[in-house]
Amino acid sequence: MKDASAATAPETIYLADYQPPAYLLETVHLTFKLSPSATRVISKIAFRPNPEATDKRFFLHGEGPDLKWAKLDGAPVTPVVTDKGLTLEVPDAPFVFEAEVEIDPAANTALEGLYLSNGMFCTQCEAEGFRRITYYPDRPDVMGVFTVRVESDLPVLLSNGNPVAQGDGWAEWHDPWPKPAYLFALVAGDLVAHSDSFTTMDGRDVALNIYVRAADIDKCAFGMEALKASMTWDEQVYGRAYDLDIFNIVAVDDFNMGAMENKGLNIFNSSAVLASPETATDANFERIEAIIAHEYFHNWTGNRITCRDWFQLCLKEGLTVFRDQQFTADMRSAAVARINDVQALRARQFREDAGPLAHPVRPESFVEINNFYTATVYEKGAEVIRMLKLMVGDDAYAKSLDLYFARHDGQACTIEDWLTVFEDSTGRDLAQFKLWYQSAGTPHVTVHDSYEDGSYTLHFDQQTPATPGEVDKAPRVIPIAVALLDRHGKTIAPEQIFELTKTQDSLRFEGVAAKPIPSVLRGFSAPVVLDRSALDDTRLVQMAHDSDPFNAWEAARELALETLSAMALDGTPPATAYLDAWRQMIRNEDTDPAFRALCAGVPSVMELAGHIKTQGQTPDPSAIDDACETFAQMLAEHCQDSLPRLYADHQVSAAYQPDATQAGHRALANRVLGLITRLDSGAQAQAQFDGATNMTQQLAALGALVRAGKGDAALDAFYTQWQHERLVIDKWFGLQASLSPADTAAQVTSDLTQHADFTAKNPNRFRATLGSFAANTAAFHHASGSGYDLLADWLITLDGINPQTTARMTSAFETWPMWDADRQAKMQAALRRILAKDGLSRDVTEMVTRILPDP
Ligand code: B3K
Ligand code: ZN
């Protein structure tokens, strides 16, 4: 029934073209007869005309399912089928459509739709994967009540909602909550469950399960605790209770991202849920806690209230990231959590916003929606909500969220709906605030000050650089948290929120006895680049005393950026006063070890390159890398006498716990170990490696040894010890690709791709190897171009296997405008080589075309 001539060039979809669906759903019945290469899917869907639709044509999406038969109200019909879907003449009245299709999960290496992972059937339907399973109105504003029957010999058969009935070789599930197809999920496998239960605040008993392969059953306890903590937190903080009798999580090895919030059946990349002290680091535990929370929180922000169309993705993702950030701040140290969030935002989102892939938090067009699950939609989307909360205040935020849930439960909504809720509940006009959703680019805010006769004024300017397709930018509303400190760091004017709404404006303080130290953009109150170079340099005081821990860290970071940039540009050595202050900071036992570990972090080569670029210079990755090495060596020597004691004082003797307190001690001790390794030829690191009782210690020691060029024996020992733990072997691949020196890393990585354990079919392994290499900035940007060639070769190979993961990884090339002409030319040549590949996927074609300059 295929009409091959219907194949068309990739089409651009526009927000402005949104049309309501022609038909709405009542009920959906699906039967899956599972078989690796020939799964049959039988569907029975009750439709009714949408009174609000103008276009009445009946169209079902479908990409790949082989249609065996179709019926309309019980009578056989022959729809017109193309490679995008099917059309059929239908009555202008309710009707039932039935069909049977065949699909091939075993051949599905793209990991979208129904696929096989190590003998387990599983699904990934967001954003548009359901159309690879069967013919269906695969758009988020079409919601149905699903009943699903799964037939298979495999022992565990799962789908969304509550279990209805089961027998030998089959199980039936019913999900009472209407949902779009992207939230559909099915799992069948030889699995075991780590089980628990939870009683909701409204008295519902919920069975909780984490399903894994038998060998992983000892790695589920932490995830389960994180799930229960998330359920409690959402009740206490947002008043949201869970709404089914069962909540299942399944760990899958082959997965394109972290996890997926399918209603009642979350599917997780095994790296985002499995953890034991021996196999996972403190950072892994923290990430797992955050992802479990994130997916659970989607039950309300995403599932109960979903998106009208995919342009509204930030409606669920920005809000859910903001909620998981709040959760982490409550569960751990709020200051450390905020610094981590801002570091990630700057590393990924600011970089995106400054390059050829810049787009608004709510984009206005796309070719492949999977290319818009970006740091801008997620992390900047969360920052926008953080600003909104700061501007309206905590109580008004809580009231607005209550109204949002009450007004829109069960609906598919837009950013306009979201903002209207806030306007209605607070009376504020949010027209200017909406620019944060509509306009791309990171605003640059410049501040200078003046002081005269007890009157102190801060003068602000804002300007947003041009982004692709958007040259002139109107001023935005920027909430700037400000306090004044005296010369000793004591607060003399408490924190207030100044809203900068114009291109230029000022904030005045009267009765200020002496010129104060301004603490500006406290807590990183807005996602902007702040230039405070016109202010007096008070950063050494702020680093030691600012009452806002974010700004204390920021002062340390700015000093490090400035010192290292000067070293890289012309060899200026660090000031002794700065090295002294650094030593004092790391030894200051009055501050949280986790915070000190963050302040002691040397900026990445990429962050330094960005800083040098904003100073109007062209960064040289190799010179920056050398400066970082020299700087670390100088710090080690300057702090030499303090290091053994610091290292000893922060060893944890209690049994391993993945909590923030213990993790903070380990983080600081491991930073110190990095410095000690520069002085003792790796003796201490080898001792830590040999005696390690948890992965945090073991991996940090291995990293220190590899960095020092003394890691060969330890790498072999690590591999031998962990060869049956695939998540640990990912670390083994990743560490070598990311920490090998710039001159050899491309060869090391290329050799790793020849290792028996390397496979491009597993996204975790591919990312651990090639993704880590691309993040090794000095190596990836090696002047020879060998890094660009290696990545391009592998992306060309991977595109034939998994377009979505390939497309994501092309963003390694988005920084081309930052570098010198030779590197720019080499990066563009590598991109053109990818673009020239025959049959290149739509996903990668869109990304590479956007990254390359206009011809
Ligand atoms: N909603 C999913 C992401 C789906 C990505 C599709 N390419 C996970 C999350 O954000 O929670
Ligand atoms: Zn999400």
Side-chain angles (χ1 to χ4, degrees):
M1 289 192 210
K2 288 261 172 220
D3 173 4
S5 66
T8 45
E11 182 196 356
T12 302
I13 319 286
Y14 296 92
L15 167 59
D17 291 347
Y18 173 82
Q19 292 292 331
Y23 292 85
L24 300 175
L25 296 179
E26 301 291 343
T27 54
V28 181
H29 286 84
L30 300 173
T31 299
F32 286 79
K33 297 175 185 290
L34 294 176
S35 163
S37 299
T39 287
R40 290 286 175 124
V41 186
I42 300 149
S43 55
K44 181 173 185 183
I45 312 170
F47 286 96
R48 64 186 159 88
N50 180 3
E52 287 174 16
T54 42
D55 182 349
K56 298 286 183 192
R57 279 175 298 182
F58 181 71
F59 174 75
L60 300 181
H61 297 96
E63 292 179 14
D66 183 8
L67 184 64
K68 298 298 179 187
W69 54 258
K71 288 181 192 167
L72 186 75
D73 285 332
V77 286
T78 307
V80 177
V81 180
T82 71
D83 60 350
K84 295 273 170 267
L86 68 73
T87 50
L88 184 66
E89 289 298 320
V90 297
D92 190 15
F95 62 91
V96 174
F97 176 83
E98 291 170 86
E100 179 165 348
V101 301
E102 187 171 296
I103 52 177
D104 183 355
N108 183 353
T109 57
L111 315 183
E112 290 178 73
L114 178 68
Y115 63 94
L116 272 178
S117 173
N118 288 330
M120 179 198 312
F121 288 87
C122 61
T123 53
Q124 172 54 38
C125 294
E126 188 178 359
E128 298 180 335
F130 195 80
R131 62 191 63 181
R132 294 166 186 250
I133 293 176
T134 192
Y135 291 90
Y136 195 82
D138 187 10
R139 44 186 287 173
D141 56 352
V142 176
M143 288 183 263
V145 171
F146 282 63
T147 305
V148 177
R149 179 181 167 93
V150 189
E151 298 180 9
S152 164
D153 292 342
L154 289 161
V156 173
L157 308 175
L158 308 172
S159 190
N160 314 90
N162 296 319
V164 181
Q166 61 182 340
D168 200 14
W170 63 274
E172 256 179 47
W173 291 79
H174 176 75
D175 181 359
W177 298 101
K179 65 170 175 290
Y182 85 86
L183 291 172
F184 168 82
L186 176 150
V187 168
D190 188 359
L191 302 169
V192 292
H194 175 104
S195 303
D196 207 325
S197 64
F198 184 87
T199 304
T200 65
M201 63 184 182
D202 38 25
R204 180 195 285 272
D205 287 326
V206 185
L208 309 176
N209 300 295
I210 299 182
Y211 281 99
V212 295
R213 291 195 279 151
D216 291 325
I217 195 70
D218 59 338
K219 302 190 194 74
C220 300
F222 179 78
M224 184 59 83
E225 290 312 308
L227 174 59
K228 289 188 290 180
S230 307
M231 296 177 88
T232 303
W233 187 92
D234 214 14
E235 292 187 348
Q236 289 176 348
V237 179
Y238 278 84
R240 300 294 112 200
Y242 188 61
D243 52 9
L244 290 167
D245 302 337
I246 188 164
F247 187 85
N248 287 326
I249 287 177
V250 181
V252 174
D253 290 335
D254 301 289
F255 206 65
N256 276 334
M257 62 265 175
M260 177 65 211
E261 70 263 24
N262 316 298
K263 183 80 189 188
L265 177 54
N266 285 194
I267 297 183
F268 271 62
N269 186 321
S270 50
S271 75
V273 55
L274 302 180
S276 70
E278 296 74 29
T279 59
T281 63
D282 290 329
N284 296 149
F285 279 99
E286 188 170 337
R287 173 171 179 262
I288 288 168
E289 184 177 80
I291 298 184
I292 295 223
H294 179 98
E295 305 311 333
Y296 176 73
F297 297 158
H298 266 315
N299 190 53
W300 274 93
T301 52
N303 300 3
R304 289 282 287 258
I305 304 179
T306 194
C307 302
R308 186 194 73 174
D309 55 72
W310 291 119
F311 296 101
Q312 319 296 332
L313 184 57
C314 62
L315 179 78
K316 74 179 177 81
E317 295 304 347
L319 178 54
T320 306
V321 171
F322 179 61
R323 277 152 49 71
D324 85 55
Q325 290 179 349
Q326 289 182 296
F327 171 76
T328 299
D330 284 353
M331 301 296 287
R332 292 168 178 261
S333 149
V336 168
R338 184 63 185 140
I339 293 166
N340 283 331
D341 291 342
V342 174
Q343 275 188 311
L345 182 83
R346 283 175 167 154
R348 296 176 50 230
Q349 200 280 322
F350 279 24
R351 161 176 157 166
E352 185 165 78
D353 239 357
L357 294 176
H359 56 274
V361 170
R362 182 173 70 178
E364 282 171 11
S365 70
F366 62 76
V367 171
E368 169 52 62
I369 184 57
N370 282 325
N371 289 337
F372 285 85
Y373 285 73
T374 59
T376 298
V377 170
Y378 275 63
E379 274 78 26
K380 189 174 179 182
E383 291 298 318
V384 170
I385 293 171
R386 185 181 295 270
M387 284 191 286
L388 190 55
K389 178 164 179 282
L390 205 57
M391 286 166 50
V392 302
D394 293 351
D395 292 346
Y397 175 80
K399 205 172 118 210
S400 303
L401 266 285
D402 286 345
L403 178 60
Y404 178 63
F405 292 122
R407 185 184 283 180
H408 292 297
D409 187 12
Q411 296 177 6
C413 294
T414 61
I415 288 303
E416 282 73 16
D417 294 328
W418 164 255
L419 290 175
T420 302
V421 163
F422 278 81
E423 290 189 325
D424 290 353
S425 81
T426 66
R428 273 190 77 130
D429 175 353
L430 293 172
Q432 188 186 13
F433 186 80
K434 195 176 174 191
L435 287 177
W436 281 106
Y437 287 102
Q438 294 173 313
S439 175
T442 307
H444 287 228
V445 175
T446 309
V447 57
H448 67 275
D449 61 354
S450 52
Y451 178 73
E452 211 176 289
D453 298 336
S455 166
Y456 179 72
T457 309
L458 286 165
H459 308 268
F460 296 99
D461 270 72
Q462 64 162 303
Q463 179 263 330
T464 304
T467 50
E470 204 194 333
V471 177
D472 294 321
K473 313 264 186 181
R476 307 198 191 164
V477 48
I478 301 178
I480 303 176
V482 178
L484 300 183
L485 317 175
D486 70 13
R487 296 273 134 188
H488 308 288
K490 194 169 143 277
T491 306
I492 51 172
E495 184 168 308
Q496 59 170 285
I497 306 298
F498 173 67
E499 289 184 15
L500 177 63
T501 56
K502 298 182 273 192
T503 304
Q504 290 186 333
D505 206 352
S506 56
L507 170 65
R508 198 180 177 101
F509 299 83
E510 299 295 349
V512 185
K515 190 175 183 192
I517 294 177
S519 177
V520 181
L521 203 71
R522 289 161 74 86
F524 203 67
S525 57
V528 301
V529 172
L530 180 66
D531 177 354
R532 56 185 126 207
S533 56
L535 299 174
D536 296 345
D537 186 359
T538 54
R539 288 172 299 186
L540 286 176
V541 181
Q542 288 185 267
M543 173 173 154
H545 302 294
D546 198 312
S547 50
D548 173 39
F550 178 84
N551 268 1
W553 169 81
E554 183 79 329
R557 169 188 164 268
E558 281 189 3
L559 286 163
L561 280 176
E562 210 164 274
T563 304
L564 277 152
S565 304
M567 287 176 76
L569 285 171
D570 56 19
T572 312
T576 310
Y578 171 58
L579 292 175
D580 288 346
W582 200 96
R583 182 173 53 198
Q584 214 173 330
M585 176 276 297
I586 199 166
R587 286 196 311 205
N588 181 1
E589 293 296 335
D590 294 338
T591 53
D592 175 15
F595 177 73
R596 267 186 284 159
L598 282 174
C599 291
V602 173
S604 69
V605 175
M606 188 54 94
E607 188 176 12
L608 280 157
H611 181 74
I612 289 171
K613 189 75 183 176
T614 56
Q615 311 294 304
Q617 313 250 18
T618 302
D620 173 352
S622 156
I624 298 173
D625 197 32
D626 290 347
C628 290
E629 279 299 306
T630 310
F631 181 62
Q633 188 66 33
M634 290 176 87
L635 286 176
E637 286 165 15
H638 199 79
C639 303
Q640 187 157 15
D641 295 342
S642 314
L643 298 178
R645 167 98 195 266
L646 257 175
Y647 180 75
D649 283 354
H650 292 281
Q651 296 304 311
V652 178
S653 51
Y656 180 93
Q657 290 294 331
D659 59 40
T661 306
Q662 278 200 8
H665 287 291
R666 281 188 286 270
L668 184 57
N670 285 334
R671 285 259 190 250
V672 172
L673 179 69
L675 296 178
I676 292 176
T677 307
R678 294 175 177 275
L679 304 171
D680 75 349
S681 304
Q684 187 73 63
Q686 189 66 52
Q688 177 166 321
F689 181 83
D690 294 337
T693 55
N694 60 69
M695 183 51 68
T696 309
Q697 275 187 317
Q698 193 178 15
L699 200 68
L702 183 61
L705 289 169
V706 169
R707 264 200 206 91
K710 300 193 179 302
D712 290 353
L715 280 168
D716 288 348
F718 189 88
Y719 180 81
T720 308
Q721 182 182 355
W722 295 115
Q723 55 188 310
H724 301 301
E725 290 284 355
R726 61 214 175 282
L727 294 175
V728 182
I729 293 301
D730 286 337
K731 298 183 197 306
W732 183 82
F733 276 89
L735 188 133
Q736 295 176 75
S738 61
L739 295 186
S740 291
D743 285 344
T744 54
Q747 189 58 51
V748 169
T749 306
S750 177
D751 292 348
L752 285 171
T753 63
Q754 304 305 311
H755 191 281
D757 289 347
F758 178 81
T759 164
K761 287 194 173 158
N762 176 258
N764 287 0
R765 187 63 44 92
F766 191 89
R767 280 187 290 252
T769 311
L770 278 310
S772 301
F773 172 70
N776 183 345
T777 306
F780 178 55
H781 296 282
H782 192 273
S784 64
S786 58
Y788 307 143
D789 289 341
L790 176 66
L791 187 63
D793 288 345
W794 272 104
L795 293 183
I796 288 168
T797 302
L798 187 66
D799 184 64
I801 299 169
N802 184 333
Q804 198 182 130
T805 290
T806 314
R808 275 195 97 76
M809 291 185 60
T810 58
S811 63
F813 289 97
E814 77 181 325
T815 62
W816 69 260
M818 264 173 65
W819 312 103
D820 55 82
D822 192 45
R823 285 187 172 84
Q824 291 197 6
K826 289 188 163 98
M827 291 177 86
Q828 291 176 19
L831 286 165
R832 291 209 176 83
R833 202 153 60 78
I834 297 173
L835 201 56
K837 185 205 150 192
D838 270 351
L840 191 70
S841 66
R842 183 176 53 168
D843 312 53
V844 177
T845 305
E846 181 188 26
M847 289 297 281
V848 174
T849 311
R850 283 169 63 210
I851 296 171
L852 276 169
D854 289 336

